[in-house]
Amino acid sequence: MNAEQQRGSIAQGDDGTDGIRDAAHPQQQTFPALDTQRALTDQLMEQICDPKNLVRAYRRVRSNKGKPGVDGMTVHELADSLRNNHAALTASLLRGTYQPQPVRGVQISKPEGGQRQLGIPVAVDRLVQQAILQVLNPILDPTFSNSSYGFRPGRDAHMALEQARKYVAQEGREIVVDLDLEKFLDRVPYCPLVIEKVVAAHRPL
């Protein structure tokens, strides 16, 4: 796809979409879970940079709102940035030269006391992350354990609690232990072992 074709997907408009509109593209390709190996090597970045996928990502980031990152750009200002820089953005993604900006750290108070550290990426990085998620999630999510509920589409904490209740009832037990490993990853040095454990936890049983 050349720059002129991409430019046609992001332009000034008066339809309430901040100038971001869908391009005339075929339906985005998705892959069955059993074909994950092929899916993970089949033009993933081209799918991520597809204008239709970027439009969806932009709308999601805008709807999520959120505070500005280190560059001070709000989600409302993101549309202007995309109109001026989308060709350079997609080119850097396709070349593999895209560099995320630093994450702004903020402290928020926890209901039970103490502070929780949060990281706020810049708006453009959130757009790129969302665009990647939209392509990878249909491929990877079906391969996760059916017992995994965290941060998955169509699943929430209430569903996890209901499943835990069923496990307790089935096994005749009366106690459920809820563990919160406070700041675990903050205290563990980064190493491949940690990443492997995280990946293994999401493999199907």
Side-chain angles (χ1 to χ4, degrees):
M1 179 183 300
N2 59 38
E4 288 299 322
Q5 288 173 314
Q6 292 181 359
R7 191 173 297 116
S9 66
I10 303 180
Q12 184 65 41
D14 56 3
D15 56 358
T17 62
D18 292 335
I20 307 298
R21 60 174 181 265
D22 287 349
H25 270 256
Q27 183 68 27
Q28 180 171 315
Q29 187 176 9
T30 57
F31 299 93
L34 297 179
D35 203 10
T36 303
Q37 184 173 1
R38 180 179 67 84
L40 289 174
T41 59
D42 195 359
Q43 295 187 316
L44 283 181
M45 192 56 72
E46 285 77 8
Q47 293 182 67
I48 291 166
C49 294
D50 186 299
K52 197 169 186 177
N53 187 53
L54 292 176
V55 167
R56 287 179 55 217
Y58 163 77
R59 289 174 176 167
R60 183 60 183 267
V61 170
R62 185 181 63 180
S63 68
N64 288 342
K65 300 178 181 179
K67 299 294 185 180
V70 294
D71 63 354
M73 181 189 297
T74 67
V75 292
H76 300 292
E77 297 168 330
L78 180 57
D80 287 336
S81 174
L82 291 177
R83 278 193 290 270
N84 296 328
N85 303 303
H86 72 277
L89 172 65
T90 55
S92 67
L93 288 169
L94 291 169
R95 288 196 304 262
T97 58
Y98 178 81
Q99 291 291 327
Q101 296 189 51
V103 174
R104 181 166 72 93
V106 296
Q107 296 278 347
I108 63 171
S109 298
K110 297 196 294 185
E112 64 275 15
Q115 299 286 314
R116 183 185 302 277
Q117 174 78 21
L118 290 182
I120 304 178
V122 299
V124 173
D125 286 346
R126 300 207 296 267
L127 171 87
V128 172
Q129 292 171 7
Q130 180 64 34
I132 294 172
L133 174 66
Q134 290 169 177
V135 171
L136 291 185
N137 198 65
I139 301 170
L140 297 178
D141 189 78
T143 71
F144 291 168
S145 168
N146 196 45
S147 300
S148 175
Y149 287 85
F151 303 100
R152 296 180 64 186
R155 293 172 176 241
D156 57 30
H158 294 289
M159 296 173 67
L161 288 172
E162 176 60 21
Q163 186 60 57
R165 186 191 66 79
K166 292 179 180 178
Y167 288 147
V168 170
Q170 289 170 0
E171 298 182 8
R173 301 183 185 276
E174 299 178 354
I175 298 175
V176 174
V177 179
D178 181 16
L179 297 177
D180 183 6
L181 301 178
E182 183 181 5
K183 297 183 179 179
F184 173 71
L185 293 178
D186 293 348
R187 297 171 177 153
V188 176
Y190 169 81
C191 67
L193 178 60
V194 173
I195 301 302
E196 174 60 26
K197 287 183 178 295
V198 172
V199 172
H202 289 85
R203 286 178 182 149
L205 297 176

